[in-house]
Amino acid sequence: MIPNVQTKMMEEARAQASFESKKMAEVIHGRHVTTLPTLDRHNAAFQRVEKALGATDNMKLPPIYGSMNREELLLDGFKAGKVVYEDGVDNNCDVFEYITHHGMLANASPFGLMRFLFIPPIKLLGTDAQVAEWVPLAESGKIIGSYAQTELGHGTQVRGIETTATFDRDADEFVIHSPTLSSTKYWPGALGCASTHTLLMASMIIDGKNLEDFKLLPGIELGDIGMKMAYNGTDNGYAIFDHVRIPRTNLLMRHCQVSRDGRYAASPLRQKLAFGGMLSGRAIIIRAATFQTLSQLPSACSKDNANTRFWSLELAQALTIATRYSVVRQQGTLSQPDEPTAIIAYKHQHFRLLSLIAKSYTSLLAWKSANDAFLDLKSRQERGDHSTLPYLHMLTCGLKAWSTQTAADGAEEARKMCGGHGYLAMSGIPGIVTSVTATCTFEGENFVMWGQVAKYLLKGFDAAELPADMEYMGEYETVIEDEEICCAEGQELLAHDTLGEIFQYRAATLAREVYSGVKASEATGMSRIEAENEHALQLHVAARAHIELFILHESIKQLNRLPASTPDTIKTIVGRLISLFALTTIASPLSAYSSSFLEHGYINSSHLKDMRQHIDDLLEVLLPDAVALTDAWSFSDASLASALGCRDGDVYNRLLTWTRQLPINVEAAKNGGVIKTGWEENIRPFLTRDLPHLVIKARL
Amino acid sequence: MIPNVQTKMMEEARAQASFESKKMAEVIHGRHVTTLPTLDRHNAAFQRVEKALGATDNMKLPPIYGSMNREELLLDGFKAGKVVYEDGVDNNCDVFEYITHHGMLANASPFGLMRFLFIPPIKLLGTDAQVAEWVPLAESGKIIGSYAQTELGHGTQVRGIETTATFDRDADEFVIHSPTLSSTKYWPGALGCASTHTLLMASMIIDGKNLEDFKLLPGIELGDIGMKMAYNGTDNGYAIFDHVRIPRTNLLMRHCQVSRDGRYAASPLRQKLAFGGMLSGRAIIIRAATFQTLSQLPSACSKDNANTRFWSLELAQALTIATRYSVVRQQGTLSQPDEPTAIIAYKHQHFRLLSLIAKSYTSLLAWKSANDAFLDLKSRQERGDHSTLPYLHMLTCGLKAWSTQTAADGAEEARKMCGGHGYLAMSGIPGIVTSVTATCTFEGENFVMWGQVAKYLLKGFDAAELPADMEYMGEYETVIEDEEICCAEGQELLAHDTLGEIFQYRAATLAREVYSGVKASEATGMSRIEAENEHALQLHVAARAHIELFILHESIKQLNRLPASTPDTIKTIVGRLISLFALTTIASPLSAYSSSFLEHGYINSSHLKDMRQHIDDLLEVLLPDAVALTDAWSFSDASLASALGCRDGDVYNRLLTWTRQLPINVEAAKNGGVIKTGWEENIRPFLTRDLPHLVIKARL
């Protein structure tokens, strides 16, 4: 590469860092958590797959940006999915179990639901014989599985499902049928054409279709549901069943059985696990929510043996691109009229980049605590102890909602930070924005998720004793609103403990206040469900406050638990990022929900003034580390697929090089440099048509 | 159409309205503003164009959702653009001057910049002879014009432009040249292939290319810049010039001339109009900003003769779709376990829909005042009076930033309100979200726009006397922060006047506070520009507060100016929408920036409690009107192109009907119902390959 203005600016920006990004990468990628794949193993897997996909030359236009229609996008997804799955099988490698080669959630690939929503339910719900029959076939990629739950008229709420599975005693079969328009299965990933087998949610879970010839069973209408905002490399599909017959024994029968003569029996364990709905559906939704939660945090994940590892780093990817672009893009000037200024020097850019980077790092640390709690639940459940299930349900719902919204908003902000060029598909950010925003509504719409957290809080107050995670609220029982003022000031407002107390005060006050509101509504004769709806917005904010407190508390805890071998500079920087996260959450008027810190008068304008000074100071001291903080996430150029975000900073050169490789321009080059698409047929006749009255007018 | 559950729910929801939506449509579409096209004229134009495009059958899949690659999307844009432009020429109709047939900004079409950025600068900058030569050709569609300003390394900031236009005295020509990589023209709409002529920004404005054969002049490399988040029906392009020669006389010479012997002369008027930069560039940017501002408001626009009418209603479109879907989509239940609930009944959905509808209506009214001010400026400028230019510059920058962000965030919120189905291209919302979000960064990135407002405020304080729009700030000169508390309570907090005072207090306090901060920084030796950057975030919030005050004040003013013939129910409902806008801006913790109302203690938790009660009451009383409020915007089914948002509410039927028409499924139908794209070539061999070790494992 010939160095140019931009690559030199990138080099200089990178050289300013106060720490070694590799050391931070080890913190992120879990060098210190022994169950994690090491950074090297992670990098090696990406390199293998990128080589197999021919994606290693970062001056070569990624085909996805070329000229693909629905079929071609899907074919590209098939091909890449196959390469990635094969890599996993051939190398016994788990790096891509839950992510694609672009770091997107695995369900962006037709192969992606296998380890996510196909194999786990079979293991959970299938008999030993069923597990032995299906799991090895799925794990080795001899079948492709999907998970058919969502219907045209029904989302993640299992209760509404209309598809029927009627047992025919004479034939010893279930008859699968779509009795109404709205019972059409609609949305399941890989259902459009890729999957050979599906887990079908009807009144029971059924394993369908025929293995031998990969042909559809008679009576099934099935297809693709077309273009989506993103995820177009997979075939989200629809299916309509017209009395389709499958053997009775295809019902997954570990916890419930239908006997040869049609008697239904469920084991007690099933009842225990199934709080409020069907065991399998709810369990899978919880798990899925967990996946989503964790997947949105820019984090590596500790591994357990039942598929709780995931790795989707879309916010971090968007921030990597925006940060790298911001140090080489020049616009206007701040002081010397003739000295163009890199846009990262503009305060709003500087603030937005670093406050989002701080969110990413903080939530990564907090995620580790959530994962520990999840692993603890699993080992308890194996001993028959389901006591922490409600807590985990609340936590995963809340973290899912918080992290997906944070990632979606943050990625779009990163898009805006790249100005016009960020709007171009080749910048890589539109694909991130449009895919990550899907997670706000799928696997549990976020407002519904917050409602689950709120329900938990209300139940916590209802109980004789506050649950452990709500104990802190007991301290604020006697608080009379508007009478207490935070007594910290100046430097104290920078301390993690003080910030934690402020988060705690807010969460407790909001929760107590809305609980009184709900009780008052109930006293007028409303049901709990009606009262919850009446106070839905206040409950939403209280739920958020409880989750943000968790994120702050646990990130501080995880910082303190970093191994002694972690360099002090790394600890210092992580500590600063946590402070910046907390301070901007409270004191930035740009932050949604920040008014909830102020409304009871606990924080006043004098606190805000001090806090904003701290924010300014932190921004200043973190600025030289911006590039290194994003380098530490260790994204390969190929996985970013961004003309603006490659490591070398050579943005204009790459943008133009890729532009020239666009098929539409390559075709034009063959045609004397003129793009002809539709021009000759449509535009020339238009321009050259006779318009007598206008020609006359023109001559006047 | 056979009525079904969904269409009946829609009918019932529509029947609940307390007013006639046609009457509201007349308010929106300017029946009372004589210079506007009437609702009927507007509707007739849409019908003509939709008929010509074959888009009138709302059970027919819009081709855009089918299977289009880059070339096909562009061709679709060509065809539609041609039909729309022809309709304008043939019927002497101005309805589509600034919008497409989908209500998007006209620059989404290759023909769209003609009346937006091509004809106006020629009229402004060309000599009489030049205007007579080029304008009739452009107006009649005998040429297609584009506007080539943006470069690879430079956005809307004209100062950075690197393309050179060197006068060659001997040849009497300008030599156009791209001296560097970053001088590549990159982004101009229709530059990729559609335009026959371009206005080129170099050091002067040049009109280039050759008319006769529509072939490129030698020495120009030019092409498409590929897929964008949206706007894929037009050919944003790039161009590199290698010493391309054009006649000297192609320079637009009304206000500045280059003589035969190379002497440069500029008229005094040019200097007057050119504050801070090049006349044309800045003037066009201001105008463009205005366009954007106004275009984002869901509004009709009064017409003047120089292209200040526009009509882009993307937020309103997204809300129409989301509202219609919300009254027919059922999910869960609120009270009767067996009675499914329409999702609009859920408080968060109800709140989000109506608060966004309120924003749309309020900003529509405020826009009318802005337009009046703009028309006033134009008539002043014709008399040589440029005194209101700084005010208009500030106002259009601020409204541009506010309305584009509001529209982008609101459209994405509408997308989320449609759950999973909203993520599907066929829902129509992804196209709206991805196109409207472009406006946040194009024609002036929003943070830069807010900076312009802030600069104006600071200058206002610097001046001996506050400018008229800042006079209210004088009233708060002696306010000592944290000592004053709003004295209104209960019902008073519902009054428009009280709400106006609260907005005023906030705007004045924030502006005064940050002005002191800037002065203090200057006192330490910083330049103004450095001090502005230091306080950029506080300035940003103060600027926003000033603009939101304008929106509230002016919408109230416009409500009071509605003609006497307006039915009282209409006035009442508009009044309620304004109150809801103001109250949710202050008191909803979900609103970004709401903390800025609280930080000085003027509003406390007791005010918030009262306000939130008012919000709940308004939501309750406005609920039955939700469908009618969106009907009043009068979008045709074809222009919405949404399977979820057609007027009849027949969502599931239409979704499935369109899905079956997707080319990928039509192809599959020919193949026995199985989609074959890539499956046979890629997936079957993968599934059927030999994997001895795994097969053995499976047999264990």
Side-chain angles (χ1 to χ4, degrees):
Chain A
M1 193 192 63
I2 304 154
N4 58 34
V5 178
Q6 287 77 38
T7 59
K8 281 182 202 150
M9 290 176 79
M10 177 59 79
E11 242 174 64
E12 283 162 23
R14 185 168 279 126
Q16 287 171 25
S18 68
F19 66 95
E20 206 185 320
S21 68
K22 182 106 200 297
K23 295 279 173 212
M24 186 68 90
E26 287 167 2
V27 170
I28 294 173
H29 289 258
R31 170 94 175 243
H32 305 296
V33 182
T34 50
T35 51
L36 277 185
T38 60
L39 182 57
D40 292 343
R41 198 146 70 80
H42 163 261
N43 289 346
F46 269 86
Q47 277 161 20
R48 274 197 313 272
V49 161
E50 287 162 5
K51 200 178 155 203
L53 291 169
T56 49
D57 176 1
N58 66 18
M59 281 296 175
K60 199 174 127 194
L61 177 73
I64 199 94
Y65 300 135
S67 179
M68 292 193 173
N69 61 17
R70 176 76 202 103
E71 285 81 359
E72 288 161 335
L73 286 166
L74 185 52
L75 183 55
D76 187 72
F78 275 172
K79 287 180 179 167
K82 191 183 71 165
V83 165
V84 167
Y85 206 91
E86 264 175 341
D87 181 82
V89 173
D90 296 348
N91 297 285
N92 193 24
C93 168
D94 53 9
V95 166
F96 292 105
E97 273 190 358
Y98 302 112
I99 57 167
T100 72
H101 62 301
H102 284 303
M104 288 173 65
L105 266 189
N107 58 348
S109 154
F111 293 79
L113 289 169
M114 297 274 269
R115 298 184 186 278
F116 187 177
L117 280 178
F118 187 73
I119 296 172
I122 295 178
K123 283 187 177 169
L124 189 67
L125 305 170
T127 61
D128 288 348
Q130 289 172 324
V131 170
E133 182 178 359
W134 301 112
V135 169
L137 288 170
E139 284 186 341
S140 62
K142 304 294 285 184
I143 59 175
I144 301 174
S146 60
Y147 179 80
Q149 176 179 305
T150 309
E151 299 181 351
L152 201 45
H154 318 278
T156 38
Q157 213 183 20
V158 182
R159 229 178 353 185
I161 281 178
E162 292 182 83
T163 302
T164 55
T166 310
F167 181 56
D168 178 340
R169 193 169 284 113
D170 296 337
D172 197 21
E173 288 173 335
F174 285 107
V175 181
I176 309 296
H177 189 59
S178 307
T180 59
L181 173 66
S182 53
S183 74
T184 304
K185 291 290 174 190
Y186 205 90
W187 268 110
L191 186 64
C193 62
S195 60
T196 59
H197 291 65
T198 196
L199 288 179
L200 185 88
M201 293 286 282
S203 50
M204 292 167 174
I205 288 177
I206 308 289
D207 190 329
K209 290 208 227 164
N210 188 310
L211 183 58
E212 286 70 34
D213 60 1
F214 305 125
K215 281 267 187 295
L216 270 181
L217 293 182
I220 300 178
E221 175 188 341
L222 170 151
D224 179 60
I225 62 168
M227 294 290 279
K228 296 140 287 185
M229 285 184 96
Y231 284 86
N232 289 313
T234 189
D235 51 322
N236 294 80
Y238 77 99
I240 300 172
F241 301 91
D242 183 7
H243 300 94
V244 175
R245 291 178 165 267
I246 59 165
R248 173 182 58 91
T249 51
N250 275 10
L251 172 66
L252 294 178
M253 299 214 229
R254 179 178 291 277
H255 302 308
C256 65
Q257 297 85 32
V258 172
S259 67
R260 178 64 192 85
D261 57 350
R263 274 176 302 136
Y264 175 82
S267 74
L269 181 63
R270 181 175 187 278
Q271 295 301 326
K272 269 226 172 109
L273 281 168
F275 64 100
M278 286 180 67
L279 158 77
S280 51
R282 180 56 60 96
I284 287 160
I285 290 164
I286 295 171
R287 178 164 302 186
T290 318
F291 275 122
Q292 284 319 109
T293 303
L294 306 174
S295 68
Q296 293 319 310
L297 305 180
S299 72
C301 322
S302 80
K303 183 176 180 330
D304 79 308
N305 294 322
N307 310 314
T308 54
R309 201 166 55 71
F310 4 74
W311 191 305
S312 173
L313 303 163
E314 297 181 74
L315 172 57
Q317 288 184 325
L319 292 172
T320 302
I321 296 167
T323 302
R324 289 176 178 172
Y325 184 61
S326 296
V327 300
V328 305
R329 171 74 172 184
Q330 296 171 307
Q331 187 113 356
T333 182
L334 273 175
S335 49
Q336 306 288 342
D338 299 311
E339 195 77 25
T341 298
I343 56 176
I344 200 169
Y346 292 97
K347 188 63 164 283
H348 44 78
Q349 191 89 357
H350 179 179
F351 169 84
R352 290 187 287 165
L353 276 178
L354 278 161
S355 60
L356 285 168
I357 290 171
K359 272 189 187 168
S360 292
Y361 270 89
T362 307
S363 52
L364 153 68
L365 294 170
W367 171 81
K368 293 191 176 180
S369 290
N371 198 47
D372 289 346
F374 190 69
L375 297 179
D376 176 62
L377 168 70
K378 283 185 61 67
S379 79
R380 278 171 192 267
Q381 284 193 302
E382 278 158 22
R383 304 192 305 269
D385 169 7
H386 306 284
S387 60
T388 62
L389 192 57
Y391 170 67
L392 255 293
H393 173 65
M394 178 283 293
L395 188 63
T396 53
C397 286
L399 287 175
K400 187 272 178 187
W402 188 90
S403 53
T404 56
Q405 191 61 53
T406 299
D409 292 349
E412 169 64 9
E413 201 66 27
R415 203 277 299 166
K416 294 197 180 94
M417 285 190 266
C418 297
H421 291 338
Y423 192 69
L424 204 61
M426 292 187 290
S427 76
I429 306 194
I432 296 170
V433 169
T434 52
S435 70
V436 78
T437 195
T439 63
C440 297
T441 45
F442 82 39
E443 305 303 338
E445 194 272 340
N446 281 352
F447 276 84
V448 175
M449 293 288 103
W450 286 122
Q452 296 295 307
V453 177
K455 237 180 237 299
Y456 174 91
L457 295 178
L458 297 178
K459 275 191 191 153
F461 284 123
D462 285 339
E465 205 176 319
L466 289 170
D469 64 304
M470 287 175 66
E471 258 171 24
Y472 71 92
M473 296 195 184
E475 296 171 35
Y476 300 88
E477 208 163 348
T478 58
V479 164
I480 301 158
E481 64 185 41
D482 301 350
E483 297 215 344
E484 204 158 324
I485 293 177
C486 173
C487 59
E489 56 178 19
Q491 285 300 311
E492 293 164 354
L493 289 167
L494 196 53
H496 287 166
D497 286 354
T498 314
L499 294 167
E501 275 164 34
I502 293 169
F503 272 59
Q504 208 163 280
Y505 184 94
R506 170 181 73 142
T509 321
L510 290 171
R512 291 208 158 272
E513 191 177 46
V514 71
Y515 182 65
S516 316
V518 167
K519 294 303 277 182
S521 294
E522 285 181 319
T524 69
M526 277 188 197
S527 69
R528 172 59 64 95
I529 210 165
E530 287 165 339
E532 281 173 7
N533 196 43
E534 177 83 7
H535 298 276
L537 295 169
Q538 266 68 47
L539 281 168
H540 170 87
V541 182
R544 190 179 167 97
H546 187 60
I547 293 295
E548 282 184 337
L549 173 65
F550 173 90
I551 293 168
L552 179 59
H553 265 173
E554 295 302 321
S555 61
I556 295 167
K557 219 182 261 177
Q558 293 289 338
L559 166 61
N560 295 329
R561 279 187 201 157
L562 284 179
S565 62
T566 313
D568 283 345
T569 45
I570 298 286
K571 288 185 193 165
T572 305
I573 285 155
V574 172
R576 283 174 186 155
L577 291 167
I578 293 174
S579 300
L580 186 62
F581 159 73
L583 286 164
T584 53
T585 302
I586 302 168
S588 165
L590 282 67
S591 303
Y593 302 91
S594 62
S595 69
S596 61
F597 285 98
L598 310 183
E599 67 176 82
H600 298 100
Y602 189 69
I603 298 296
N604 61 28
S605 66
S606 151
H607 296 111
L608 291 177
K609 207 167 279 176
D610 288 345
M611 288 182 178
R612 287 170 186 164
Q613 189 55 56
H614 295 324
I615 292 173
D616 283 350
D617 295 344
L618 285 167
L619 289 177
E620 204 58 38
V621 70
L622 285 166
L623 184 60
D625 290 331
V627 171
L629 284 168
T630 58
D631 282 350
W633 286 319
S634 314
F635 295 115
S636 66
D637 283 350
S639 74
L640 291 175
S642 168
L644 304 182
C646 286
R647 205 180 148 85
D648 61 14
D650 197 8
V651 297
Y652 299 138
N653 190 26
R654 184 164 293 107
L655 205 46
L656 193 59
T657 305
W658 285 12
T659 302
R660 284 173 167 147
Q661 294 172 51
L662 289 168
I664 195 170
N665 295 331
V666 171
E667 275 311 301
K670 294 182 196 157
N671 191 27
V674 181
I675 298 167
K676 284 294 176 195
T677 310
W679 210 98
E680 285 297 327
E681 305 82 336
N682 290 277
I683 309 302
R684 180 190 289 278
F686 170 70
L687 293 169
T688 53
R689 76 204 181 288
D690 266 350
L691 283 170
H693 62 292
L694 284 155
V695 172
I696 288 162
K697 191 177 153 199
R699 286 191 187 130
L700 287 181
Chain B
M1 193 193 65
I2 304 155
N4 58 33
V5 178
Q6 287 75 39
T7 59
K8 281 179 201 154
M9 289 177 79
M10 176 59 81
E11 241 173 64
E12 284 162 23
R14 185 169 280 124
Q16 287 172 25
S18 68
F19 67 95
E20 206 184 321
S21 68
K22 183 108 200 297
K23 295 280 174 212
M24 187 68 91
E26 287 167 3
V27 170
I28 294 173
H29 289 258
R31 170 97 175 239
H32 305 294
V33 182
T34 51
T35 50
L36 277 186
T38 61
L39 182 57
D40 293 342
R41 198 146 71 80
H42 162 260
N43 289 346
F46 269 86
Q47 278 161 19
R48 274 197 314 272
V49 162
E50 286 163 6
K51 199 178 155 200
L53 291 169
T56 49
D57 175 2
N58 66 18
M59 281 296 174
K60 201 175 127 194
L61 177 75
I64 199 96
Y65 300 135
S67 180
M68 293 190 171
N69 62 18
R70 176 78 202 101
E71 285 81 359
E72 289 162 334
L73 286 166
L74 186 51
L75 183 55
D76 187 73
F78 276 173
K79 287 180 179 168
K82 190 183 73 166
V83 165
V84 167
Y85 206 91
E86 263 176 341
D87 181 82
V89 173
D90 297 347
N91 297 285
N92 194 24
C93 168
D94 53 8
V95 167
F96 293 104
E97 272 189 358
Y98 302 112
I99 57 166
T100 71
H101 62 300
H102 285 303
M104 288 174 65
L105 267 187
N107 58 349
S109 155
F111 293 79
L113 288 169
M114 297 274 270
R115 298 184 187 278
F116 187 178
L117 281 177
F118 187 73
I119 296 172
I122 295 178
K123 284 186 177 170
L124 188 68
L125 305 170
T127 61
D128 289 345
Q130 289 172 322
V131 170
E133 182 179 358
W134 300 111
V135 169
L137 288 170
E139 284 186 341
S140 62
K142 305 292 287 182
I143 60 174
I144 301 174
S146 60
Y147 179 79
Q149 176 178 306
T150 309
E151 299 180 349
L152 201 45
H154 319 279
T156 38
Q157 212 183 23
V158 182
R159 225 173 2 180
I161 281 180
E162 291 181 83
T163 302
T164 55
T166 310
F167 182 59
D168 177 340
R169 193 171 282 113
D170 296 339
D172 197 20
E173 288 171 335
F174 286 106
V175 180
I176 310 296
H177 189 59
S178 307
T180 60
L181 172 66
S182 53
S183 74
T184 303
K185 291 289 176 192
Y186 204 90
W187 269 109
L191 186 65
C193 61
S195 60
T196 60
H197 291 65
T198 196
L199 288 179
L200 185 88
M201 295 286 282
S203 51
M204 293 167 174
I205 288 179
I206 307 289
D207 190 329
K209 291 208 226 166
N210 186 310
L211 184 59
E212 286 72 31
D213 60 1
F214 306 124
K215 281 268 188 295
L216 272 180
L217 294 181
I220 300 179
E221 175 188 341
L222 170 150
D224 179 61
I225 62 168
M227 293 290 280
K228 296 141 287 186
M229 283 186 98
Y231 285 85
N232 289 314
T234 188
D235 51 320
N236 295 78
Y238 78 98
I240 301 172
F241 302 91
D242 181 9
H243 300 92
V244 175
R245 290 178 167 267
I246 58 167
R248 173 183 58 91
T249 51
N250 276 12
L251 173 66
L252 294 179
M253 300 215 230
R254 180 175 293 276
H255 304 305
C256 65
Q257 297 83 34
V258 172
S259 67
R260 179 64 192 85
D261 59 349
R263 274 175 303 136
Y264 175 82
S267 75
L269 181 63
R270 181 176 185 279
Q271 295 300 326
K272 268 227 170 108
L273 282 167
F275 63 100
M278 284 181 69
L279 158 78
S280 51
R282 182 55 60 96
I284 288 160
I285 290 164
I286 295 171
R287 179 162 303 185
T290 317
F291 276 121
Q292 283 320 108
T293 301
L294 306 175
S295 69
Q296 291 321 309
L297 304 181
S299 74
C301 321
S302 79
K303 183 179 180 328
D304 79 308
N305 294 322
N307 309 315
T308 55
R309 203 165 55 71
F310 7 72
W311 192 303
S312 174
L313 304 164
E314 295 180 76
L315 173 57
Q317 289 184 325
L319 292 173
T320 302
I321 297 167
T323 303
R324 290 176 177 171
Y325 184 62
S326 295
V327 300
V328 305
R329 171 72 170 185
Q330 297 170 308
Q331 187 115 352
T333 183
L334 273 176
S335 48
Q336 306 289 341
D338 299 311
E339 195 79 22
T341 299
I343 57 175
I344 198 169
Y346 291 97
K347 188 64 163 283
H348 45 77
Q349 190 88 355
H350 179 180
F351 169 85
R352 290 188 286 165
L353 276 178
L354 278 162
S355 60
L356 286 168
I357 291 172
K359 271 188 188 168
S360 292
Y361 270 88
T362 307
S363 52
L364 154 68
L365 294 169
W367 170 80
K368 293 191 175 179
S369 292
N371 199 48
D372 289 346
F374 190 70
L375 296 179
D376 175 64
L377 168 70
K378 285 187 58 69
S379 79
R380 279 171 192 268
Q381 283 193 303
E382 278 157 24
R383 305 192 304 269
D385 169 8
H386 306 284
S387 60
T388 63
L389 192 56
Y391 170 67
L392 255 294
H393 173 65
M394 177 284 291
L395 189 63
T396 54
C397 286
L399 288 175
K400 187 271 178 188
W402 188 90
S403 53
T404 56
Q405 190 61 53
T406 299
D409 292 349
E412 169 64 7
E413 200 65 24
R415 203 276 300 164
K416 294 197 181 95
M417 285 191 266
C418 296
H421 291 339
Y423 191 70
L424 203 61
M426 293 188 288
S427 78
I429 307 194
I432 296 170
V433 169
T434 51
S435 70
V436 78
T437 195
T439 64
C440 296
T441 44
F442 82 40
E443 304 303 339
E445 195 271 340
N446 281 351
F447 276 84
V448 175
M449 293 289 102
W450 286 122
Q452 296 295 306
V453 178
K455 239 181 234 301
Y456 175 91
L457 294 178
L458 297 178
K459 274 191 191 153
F461 285 123
D462 284 339
E465 205 176 320
L466 288 170
D469 64 304
M470 287 174 65
E471 258 170 24
Y472 72 93
M473 295 194 185
E475 297 170 35
Y476 300 88
E477 207 162 351
T478 58
V479 163
I480 300 158
E481 66 184 44
D482 300 349
E483 296 215 344
E484 205 159 323
I485 293 178
C486 173
C487 59
E489 55 178 17
Q491 283 301 310
E492 294 164 353
L493 290 167
L494 196 53
H496 288 165
D497 286 355
T498 314
L499 294 167
E501 275 164 34
I502 293 169
F503 273 59
Q504 209 163 279
Y505 184 93
R506 170 181 74 143
T509 322
L510 290 171
R512 290 208 160 272
E513 191 176 46
V514 70
Y515 182 64
S516 316
V518 168
K519 294 303 278 184
S521 294
E522 286 181 319
T524 69
M526 278 190 197
S527 69
R528 172 60 63 95
I529 210 165
E530 287 165 339
E532 281 174 5
N533 196 43
E534 176 83 6
H535 298 275
L537 294 170
Q538 266 68 48
L539 282 168
H540 170 86
V541 182
R544 189 177 168 98
H546 187 60
I547 292 296
E548 283 184 337
L549 173 64
F550 174 89
I551 293 168
L552 179 60
H553 265 172
E554 296 303 320
S555 61
I556 296 168
K557 219 182 260 177
Q558 293 289 339
L559 167 62
N560 295 329
R561 278 187 202 159
L562 285 179
S565 63
T566 312
D568 283 346
T569 45
I570 298 285
K571 288 185 193 165
T572 305
I573 285 156
V574 172
R576 284 176 186 154
L577 290 168
I578 294 173
S579 300
L580 186 62
F581 160 73
L583 286 164
T584 52
T585 303
I586 301 168
S588 166
L590 281 66
S591 305
Y593 302 93
S594 63
S595 70
S596 61
F597 285 98
L598 310 185
E599 67 177 81
H600 298 100
Y602 188 68
I603 297 295
N604 62 28
S605 67
S606 151
H607 296 111
L608 291 177
K609 207 169 279 176
D610 288 343
M611 288 181 177
R612 287 171 186 165
Q613 187 56 56
H614 294 324
I615 291 174
D616 282 350
D617 295 344
L618 285 167
L619 290 178
E620 203 58 36
V621 71
L622 284 166
L623 183 60
D625 290 331
V627 171
L629 284 168
T630 57
D631 283 349
W633 285 320
S634 314
F635 295 115
S636 66
D637 282 350
S639 74
L640 291 176
S642 168
L644 303 183
C646 287
R647 206 180 147 84
D648 61 15
D650 198 9
V651 297
Y652 299 137
N653 190 24
R654 184 164 293 106
L655 205 46
L656 192 58
T657 305
W658 285 12
T659 302
R660 284 175 168 146
Q661 295 171 52
L662 289 168
I664 194 169
N665 295 331
V666 171
E667 274 311 301
K670 294 181 197 159
N671 191 27
V674 181
I675 300 167
K676 285 294 175 194
T677 311
W679 210 97
E680 286 297 327
E681 305 83 336
N682 290 277
I683 308 302
R684 181 189 288 278
F686 170 68
L687 293 170
T688 53
R689 76 205 181 287
D690 266 349
L691 282 171
H693 61 294
L694 285 155
V695 171
I696 287 162
K697 190 177 155 198
R699 285 190 188 134
L700 286 179

